């Protein structure tokens, strides 16, 4: 594995440069992050381990691990994240000679163009690769493309930008057999299959350059830096505090430390904590043994309940967070501190807002569980590639973000009444039907997206854009989390959480929470409505048909609604600004048009 010093931020190793992703470094070097099997020579250090019981139970892991930070001094050798060299094919920018590097070797140099002594001319990695929808990836099959049947002695040349600056001007030539062919048409879906190139099932991030050959998915030509070459699958969880509000701080610290918790539960008797061992540990740490035993028993009981809900759906998983946020949490020692105010305090917002949560402190854990290529994942595990060779790894890489947020619970009955209107159903039908059709084409079940979800999702985007002008955060530093009862309409749940996504770099000084106070939240919604009334791309934007990624947006563009990809849960899809403010032909279509009159709302 390649272990030179190449700086990558800890959060980037979860997304977008996680396991299996190609990262471009200095000196024209492209590398792929290796699987987690190679991250540590032994078990991960205890100070890098993270506990999040709810998410651990759902993902079947013992614990999570923070990617090691090279700048940390641990009293020993620095821990480096290993990489493999991919793509392996390189070419000389001077003579265009191609050479295939070793997966675990150094960057190749051109022997024909290198100078005497120590000076070597580095070769540049090829900018195209081949991948399939099941996540396999391999070097572009140059010999099959040009019809070259030479063995390893083939002399390939990559001649770029001769007749045209586009891909049509790039030619592949074999000097041994004389075959030459342009790369024109290489990006067509069936182009490689027509040349006899098939997916080998290669997984270079695991050191597997040749698979079993059982993959039947067609190969697709992709740019090395294409956005659809790597889709990380990230599962996240907002910390839900256990019933430990009266626990001594020393006991809480022991319960939340993965190493100490493992020691407390290492010797159980009939599934119950070993009283003798716990009393011994309590004496060693100067803690009341009876209080420690009671706390350990309570946490183990909570863990057993979490195991029973390990197969819970995403909606059931989020309902736990929704119930805690709407109830509030006043324990300052916990990682969740939320003050809940009734919606009746917020003037005009009281008609559709049930409660507002001032989340002064929260903790989010984000875990990389796999990734997909070509098409984004849609909940089907067969298109997700694993991070290790082990079928069930004990741990997964994760990051922890501590920040602040605003939680809003909506009155489901009021919004459902608006969503039942004929003009609303007609407006959203073409978007929802197109979304379901695309999922069906990929053998995925419908999600049950409805007008309520589209409204709350678009509202979250509009509020985030407005908050960037008020609270000092950049839009990429804020994230959304939508709570909507799609699977179980009989148990209404409708709300959103906007929270800081980069608390480590931009801090959490209360600027976001302060915007949810009485008087300020009403002004925030009013300013959001005025700004959403007008877009710099209007009238094209407001009158557009389904467009955007997969044609899953209506009135939504970079001038009014779209956010950085890291801020949106849906990849900037399922958005429609008209649901907020209406259209020029039908202003009543917008949910907020009945609260703020367009006649008195001018563009901000």
């Amino acid at each position: 594995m390649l272990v030179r010093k190449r700086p990558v931020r800890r959060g980037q190793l979860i997304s977008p440069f996680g396991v299996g992703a190609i990262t471009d470094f200095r000196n024209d070097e492209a590398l792929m992050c290796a699987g987690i099997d190679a991250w540590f020579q032994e078990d991960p250090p205890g100070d890098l381990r993270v506990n999040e019981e709810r998410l651990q139970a759902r993902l079947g892991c013992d614990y999570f691990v923070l990617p090691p930070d090279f700048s940390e001094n641990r009293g020993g050798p620095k821990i480096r994240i290993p990489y493999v060299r991919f793509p392996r094919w390189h070419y000389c920018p001077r003579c265009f000679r191609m050479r295939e590097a070793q997966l675990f070797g150094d960057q190749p140099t051109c022997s024909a163009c290198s100078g005497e002594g120590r000076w070597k001319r580095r070769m540049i990695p090829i900018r195209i690769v081949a991948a399939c929808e099941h996540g396999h990836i391999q070097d572009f099959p140059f010999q099959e493309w040009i019809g070259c049947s030479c063995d390893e002695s083939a002399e390939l040349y990559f001649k770029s930008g001769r007749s045209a600056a586009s891909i049509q001007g790039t030619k592949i030539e074999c000097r041994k057999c004389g075959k030459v062919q342009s790369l024109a048409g290489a990006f067509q879906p069936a182009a490689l299959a027509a040349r006899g190139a098939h997916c080998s099932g290669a997984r270079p991030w695991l050191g597997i350059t040749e698979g079993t050959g059982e993959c039947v998915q067609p190969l697709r030509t992709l740019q090395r830096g294409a956005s659809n070459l790597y889709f990380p699958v990230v599962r996240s969880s907002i910390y839900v505090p256990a019933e430990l509000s009266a626990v001594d701080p020393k006991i809480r610290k022991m319960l939340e430390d993965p190493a100490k918790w493992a020691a407390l539960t290492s010797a159980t008797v009939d599934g119950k904590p070993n009283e003798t061992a716990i009393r011994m540990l309590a004496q060693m740490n100067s803690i009341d043994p009876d209080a420690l035993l009671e706390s350990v028993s309570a946490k183990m009981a909570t863990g057993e309940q979490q195991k029973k809900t390990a197969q819970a759906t995403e909606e059931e998983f989020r309902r736990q967070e929704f119930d805690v946020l709407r109830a509030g949490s006043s324990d300052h020692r916990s990682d969740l501190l939320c003050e809940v105010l009734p919606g009746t305090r917020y003037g005009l917002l009281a008609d559709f807002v049930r409660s507002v949560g001032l989340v002064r402190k929260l903790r989010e854990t984000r875990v990389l569980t796999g990734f997909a290529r070509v098409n984004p994942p849609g909940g089907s595990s067969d298109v997700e590639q694993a991070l290790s060779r082990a079928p069930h790894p004990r741990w997964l890489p994760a990051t922890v973000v501590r920040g602040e947020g605003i939680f809003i619970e909506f009155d489901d009955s009021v919004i459902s009444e608006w969503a039942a209107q004929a003009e609303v159903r007609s407006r959203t039908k073409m978007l929802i039907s197109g979304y379901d059709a695309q999922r069906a084409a990929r053998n995925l079940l419908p999600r049950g997206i409805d007008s309520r979800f589209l409204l709350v999702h678009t509202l979250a985007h509009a509020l985030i854009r407005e908050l960037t002008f008020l609270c000092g955060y950049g839009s990429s530093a804020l994230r959304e989390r939508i709570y909507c009862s799609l699977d179980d309409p009989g148990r209404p749940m409708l709300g959103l959480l906007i929270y800081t996504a980069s608390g480590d770099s931009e801090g959490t000084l209360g600027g976001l929470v302060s915007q949810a106070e009485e008087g300020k939240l009403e002004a925030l919604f009013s300013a959001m409505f005025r700004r959403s009334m007008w877009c710099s791309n209007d009238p094209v934007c407001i009158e557009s048909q389904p467009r955007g990624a997969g044609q899953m947006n209506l009135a939504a563009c970079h001038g009014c609604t779209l956010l950085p990809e890291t801020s949106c849960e849906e990849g900037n899809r399922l958005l429609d600004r008209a649901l907020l403010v209406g259209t020029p032909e039908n202003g009543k279509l917008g949910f907020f048009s009945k609260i703020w009159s367009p006649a008195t709302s001018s563009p901000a």
Side-chain angles (χ1 to χ4, degrees):
M1 301 293 177
L2 303 175
V3 292
R4 294 179 187 173
K5 183 178 179 181
R6 299 175 178 88
V8 178
R9 290 183 58 190
R10 171 177 281 174
Q12 291 178 325
L13 287 169
I14 303 301
S15 174
F17 303 133
V19 173
I22 299 176
T23 306
D24 289 322
F25 293 98
R26 295 182 301 175
N27 300 322
D28 293 320
E29 198 171 20
L31 303 175
M32 177 179 285
C33 185
I36 60 176
D37 304 300
W39 281 27
F40 305 100
Q41 295 182 355
E42 300 177 354
D43 289 337
D47 55 347
L48 292 179
R49 300 186 183 187
V50 176
N51 262 2
E52 176 59 69
E53 288 82 3
R54 287 199 317 132
L55 202 53
Q56 287 167 207
R58 190 179 186 198
L59 299 178
C61 296
D62 294 341
Y63 52 88
F64 302 126
V65 174
L66 297 173
D69 187 349
F70 184 82
S71 64
E72 295 179 1
N73 184 7
R74 304 182 184 281
K78 298 290 187 180
I79 302 177
R80 298 177 174 90
I81 297 296
Y83 283 78
V84 297
R85 192 166 299 282
F86 189 87
R88 291 186 296 166
W89 277 112
H90 292 62
Y91 75 99
C92 176
R94 182 178 180 184
C95 69
F96 308 109
R97 186 189 307 270
M98 293 176 61
R99 179 182 172 187
E100 192 173 16
Q102 296 295 321
L103 193 65
F104 309 114
D106 294 327
Q107 187 172 2
T109 58
C110 181
S111 57
C113 298
S114 297
E116 297 181 359
R118 300 177 59 185
W119 183 80
K120 301 291 184 182
R121 181 178 293 278
R122 290 191 182 94
M123 302 184 83
I124 299 175
I126 296 293
R127 61 178 183 267
I128 58 174
V129 295
C132 78
E133 292 188 10
H134 280 184
H136 304 123
I137 190 170
Q138 62 191 62
D139 284 287
F140 184 86
F142 291 104
Q143 289 187 251
E144 290 89 339
W145 181 257
I146 65 175
C148 173
S149 58
C150 301
D151 54 13
E152 296 180 354
S153 62
E155 299 179 10
L156 297 179
Y157 284 77
F158 187 88
K159 298 182 178 180
S160 178
R162 291 302 182 91
S163 59
S166 61
I167 196 69
Q168 287 84 353
T170 301
K171 293 184 178 180
I172 308 300
E173 178 184 352
C174 177
R175 293 279 176 89
K176 183 177 181 181
C177 65
K179 296 292 182 63
V180 59
Q181 181 67 44
S182 167
L183 287 177
F187 287 88
Q188 297 298 322
L192 295 182
R195 302 295 178 99
H198 303 284
C199 180
S200 65
R203 294 179 290 173
W205 66 94
L206 300 179
I208 303 174
T209 56
E210 292 293 336
T212 60
E214 297 178 355
C215 182
V216 296
Q217 292 296 319
L219 278 177
R220 293 280 300 273
T221 303
L222 297 175
Q223 291 274 4
R224 190 182 71 212
S227 59
N228 63 337
L229 186 61
Y230 184 78
F231 294 102
V233 180
V234 179
R235 310 296 183 189
S236 63
S237 172
I238 302 296
Y239 173 75
V240 174
E243 298 296 331
L244 301 175
S245 57
V247 171
D248 182 88
K250 291 184 178 179
I251 296 179
R252 182 188 298 275
K253 188 175 181 179
M254 288 191 69
L255 298 181
E256 295 181 352
D257 187 293
K260 292 182 178 179
W261 175 250
L264 290 169
T265 57
S266 59
T268 58
V269 179
D270 296 331
K272 298 181 180 180
N274 189 323
E275 183 175 348
T276 304
I278 289 179
R279 290 187 179 278
M280 184 182 300
L281 290 170
Q283 185 177 2
M284 294 171 58
N285 291 273
S286 301
I287 294 176
D288 182 3
D290 294 329
L292 180 60
L293 179 60
E294 181 181 354
S295 300
V296 171
S297 301
K299 186 172 181 179
M300 288 182 65
T302 302
E304 289 299 322
Q305 182 64 28
Q306 290 170 352
K307 290 180 181 179
K308 295 180 181 179
T309 59
Q311 302 300 321
T313 63
E314 179 68 20
E315 181 174 315
E316 293 170 343
F317 188 77
R318 295 199 177 197
R319 189 178 292 276
Q320 300 175 15
E321 302 171 4
F322 180 78
D323 291 340
V324 171
L325 288 171
R326 67 192 298 208
S329 175
S330 59
D331 185 1
H332 290 264
R333 296 170 297 181
S334 172
D335 279 330
L336 181 66
L337 181 61
C338 178
E339 178 187 357
V340 179
L341 301 177
T344 53
R345 295 190 181 184
Y346 290 90
L348 292 176
L349 302 186
D351 293 340
F352 61 92
V353 171
R354 284 185 174 176
S355 64
V356 176
L358 282 67
V359 188
R360 304 189 187 279
K361 184 167 60 171
L362 63 78
R363 185 186 80 187
E364 183 197 24
T365 304
R366 302 178 195 161
V367 181
L368 178 65
T369 63
F371 59 89
R373 304 193 194 276
V374 182
N375 288 317
S380 178
S381 59
D382 60 343
V383 300
E384 293 182 17
Q385 277 295 328
L387 307 182
S388 70
R389 294 196 179 196
H392 302 288
R394 293 185 57 199
W395 61 272
L396 291 170
T399 57
V400 175
V401 174
R402 288 178 169 84
E404 57 178 329
I406 299 173
F407 170 73
I408 303 175
E409 179 192 3
F410 298 104
D411 189 329
D412 185 86
S413 61
V414 174
I415 296 182
S416 294
E417 181 181 352
W418 163 84
Q421 298 179 44
E423 57 266 28
V424 175
R425 296 200 307 270
S426 176
R427 172 81 181 182
T428 59
K429 180 180 178 180
M430 51 182 170
L431 196 63
I432 296 173
S433 59
Y435 177 68
D436 290 339
Q438 291 197 20
R439 289 182 62 86
R442 298 175 55 196
N443 297 320
L444 300 175
L445 297 175
R447 284 180 57 190
I449 296 295
D450 59 13
S451 302
R452 299 176 307 132
F453 182 90
L454 296 178
L455 172 67
V456 175
H457 185 212
T458 308
L459 174 62
H461 278 237
L463 289 177
I464 288 177
R465 290 177 68 95
E466 192 63 35
L467 284 167
T468 59
F469 297 100
L470 299 175
C471 66
Y473 288 103
S475 57
S476 61
L478 300 178
R479 280 180 66 93
E480 66 175 6
R481 197 166 180 86
I482 309 299
Y483 301 95
C484 186
S485 53
L486 301 176
D487 299 335
D488 189 0
R491 300 173 62 195
M493 176 179 67
L494 194 61
L496 64 86
L497 173 67
I498 298 175
Y499 60 101
T500 53
S502 300
D504 58 337
S505 61
E506 300 199 23
T508 54
L509 302 178
L512 179 60
V513 171
S514 65
Q515 299 303 319
E517 296 173 353
E518 297 178 51
K520 292 185 178 181
L521 188 63
E522 302 95 300
L524 172 65
F525 270 78
S526 179
M528 174 276 300
F529 178 81
R530 292 196 305 271
R531 196 177 300 276
S532 300
M533 282 290 300
W534 179 83
C535 172
S536 58
N537 291 321
D538 279 343
V540 176
C541 177
I542 197 66
E543 297 177 354
S544 63
Q545 295 298 310
R547 61 177 181 172
Q551 296 185 342
M552 296 183 190
N553 290 331
L554 283 171
C557 69
H558 287 284
C560 59
T561 309
L562 301 188
L563 294 175
E565 293 292 340
T566 55
S567 300
C568 178
E569 292 186 310
E570 301 292 337
N572 271 330
R573 296 171 296 179
L574 302 174
L575 299 166
D576 184 10
R577 180 167 54 96
L579 299 181
L580 302 179
V581 298
T583 62
E585 296 78 14
N586 186 4
K588 295 182 180 180
L589 176 68
F591 176 79
F592 296 101
S593 298
K594 61 182 181 181
I595 302 175
W596 291 282
S597 171
T600 59
S601 298
S602 58

